[in-house]
């Protein structure tokens, strides 16, 4: 390999949004010699939320973008404490006695293996801090809240709330579930432009691990668990290198809308106790010890007809926000970043950008929108609302053991090669018309 510096591409990309997806894309573009500017609405990088998990597919995509991203992930990640549980995603248990009395609270339904990472959780902000260290100086612009994008055909103009503007060859919106880029792309009055409430909310809190062990025993406290029940479920997993047990208790209520403009609000313990009044045993004990609790409303996206138009494109939650029941939303954003940065690396000039965006859309939209649907359905499975399983142990076991394989076992390099082949075909077809 030549030691001479590789010439930069004769075009530049604006990335809007400095979360995990936006930073991963920026790193991928820089490695592929694509000039890029990252715009973040806040005054500094930061992630909202606590724990986030990544599957083996996401770890592979991190490595393919830059091995340093995967190394950063493992540096701050926490896995199950027991060596025998390292490759398990969750141990699924009954959180309530079944109505026919055939299964009791705590009975194991199945242990779901997910090698080589198992349940691998990071604190969003800690992982983001590690990723930010991989960005060179001068790439990021802060306090830049996007208001409008004008697509001029051969370039775009970004207009920000502070009155400033920026000109780039194209823009990729990585600005999350409340994406302004998505609204501009699909139309502000289009219902698909705005996230929808799923009628599920979650109580989130923490328990010091020594207290959790005293309460539950080491096996259930130090290794990831899900307790399934009627119209609700609860999951726990270790974070902070095993010092703390993270708790998320989900409740589905189709008779109640979410009316607060805030999607995360302080918890009223009485509300949680009422929501889980019929739950007993370890679940009740876990809920009683939760510290720093809040309530998180779950929204997701209706399927967009496209992820791009002209020189405007969306990625991650801006494209396909999902509920967290598959533990794969952030991982899909990393996959997006790998594929899109690889496609833009193939572009020789600005005229190739739309072909890259189209190939990305055609390749990524089916897989990522499948996640949104799968995650909704998985939530129903956990809450005994899925007709094909309900609370039947054997049916639950069979469904759980196959449900997420399509996410984890994807050959992401072949997937990216498929996208590049589409790009080559589109470019050839365009050249033949000239």
């Amino acid at each position: 390999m030549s030691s001479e510096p590789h010439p930069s591409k004769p075009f530049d990309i604006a990335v809007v949004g400095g979360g995990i997806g936006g930073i991963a894309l920026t790193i991928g573009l820089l490695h592929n010699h694509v000039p890029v500017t990252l715009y973040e609405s806040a005054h500094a990088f930061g992630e909202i939320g606590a724990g986030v998990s990544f599957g083996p597919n996401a770890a592979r995509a991190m490595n393919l973008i830059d091995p340093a991203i995967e190394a950063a992930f493992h540096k701050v990640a926490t896995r199950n404490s027991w060596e025998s549980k390292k490759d398990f995603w969750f141990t699924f248990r009954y959180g309530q006695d079944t109505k026919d009395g055939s299964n009791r609270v705590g009975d194991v339904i199945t242990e779901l293996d997910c090698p080589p990472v198992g349940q691998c959780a990071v604190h969003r902000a800690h992982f983001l801090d590690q990723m930010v260290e991989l960005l060179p100086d001068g790439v990021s612009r802060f306090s830049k809240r996007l208001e409008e994008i004008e697509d001029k055909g051969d370039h775009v103009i970004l207009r920000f709330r502070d009155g400033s503007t920026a000109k780039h060859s194209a823009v990729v919106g990585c600005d999350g579930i409340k994406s302004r880029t998505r609204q501009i792309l699909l139309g502000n009055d289009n219902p698909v432009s705005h996230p929808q409430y799923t009628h599920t909310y979650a109580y989130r809190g923490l328990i010091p691990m020594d207290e959790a062990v005293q309460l539950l025993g080491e096996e259930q406290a130090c290794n990831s668990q899900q307790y399934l029940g009627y119209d609700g479920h609860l999951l726990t997993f270790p974070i902070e290198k095993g010092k703390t047990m993270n708790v998320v208790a989900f409740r589905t209520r189709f008779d109640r809308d979410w009316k607060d403009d805030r999607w995360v609000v302080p918890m009223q313990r009485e509300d949680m106790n009422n929501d889980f009044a019929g739950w007993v045993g370890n679940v009740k004990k876990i809920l009683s010890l939760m510290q720093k609790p809040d309530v998180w409303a779950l929204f997701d996206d209706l399927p967009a007809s496209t992820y791009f138009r002209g020189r405007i494109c969306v990625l991650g939650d801006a494209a396909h926000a999902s509920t967290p029941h598959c533990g794969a939303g952030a991982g899909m954003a990393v996959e997006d970043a790998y594929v899109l940065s690889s496609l833009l690396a193939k572009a020789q000039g600005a005229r190739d950008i739309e072909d890259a965006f189209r190939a990305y859309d055609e390749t990524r939209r089916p897989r990522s929108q499948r996640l949104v649907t799968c995650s909704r359905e998985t939530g129903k499975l956990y809450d005994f609302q899925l007709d094909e399983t309900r609370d039947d142990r054997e049916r639950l076991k069979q469904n759980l053991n196959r449900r997420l394989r399509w996410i984890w076992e994807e050959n992401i390099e072949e997937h990216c090669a498929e996208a590049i082949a589409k790009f080559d075909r589109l470019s050839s077809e365009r050249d033949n018309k000239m």
Side-chain angles (χ1 to χ4, degrees), residues 385-430:
Q385 296 169 346
L386 201 62
D387 287 338
E388 64 192 77
T389 53
R390 293 297 177 180
D391 61 4
D392 183 271
R393 184 192 296 219
E394 191 56 36
R395 290 180 179 179
L396 285 166
K397 178 179 178 179
Q398 290 178 9
N399 194 304
L400 285 164
N401 285 338
R402 68 171 185 269
R403 170 161 289 273
L404 304 181
R405 301 295 171 191
W406 70 272
I407 300 173
W408 297 337
E409 296 174 2
E410 177 75 7
N411 186 322
I412 191 64
E413 289 176 278
E414 288 185 4
H415 182 69
C416 187
E418 176 189 340
I420 290 171
K422 288 180 179 179
F423 170 82
D424 290 339
R425 174 178 53 79
L426 290 166
S427 298
S428 177
E429 289 172 356
R430 186 194 65 221

Side-chain angles (χ1 to χ4, degrees), residues 180-194:
R180 177 61 183 145
T181 312
R182 182 185 177 95
Q183 295 169 7
I184 294 166
L185 172 65
L186 300 174
N188 212 38
D189 296 329
N190 187 342
V192 175
S193 297
H194 305 277

Side-chain angles (χ1 to χ4, degrees), residues 15-37:
V15 174
V16 175
I20 290 170
I23 293 181
L25 176 63
T26 300
I27 293 169
L29 292 174
L30 290 169
H31 276 294
N32 286 298
H33 314 288
V34 177
V36 58
T37 303

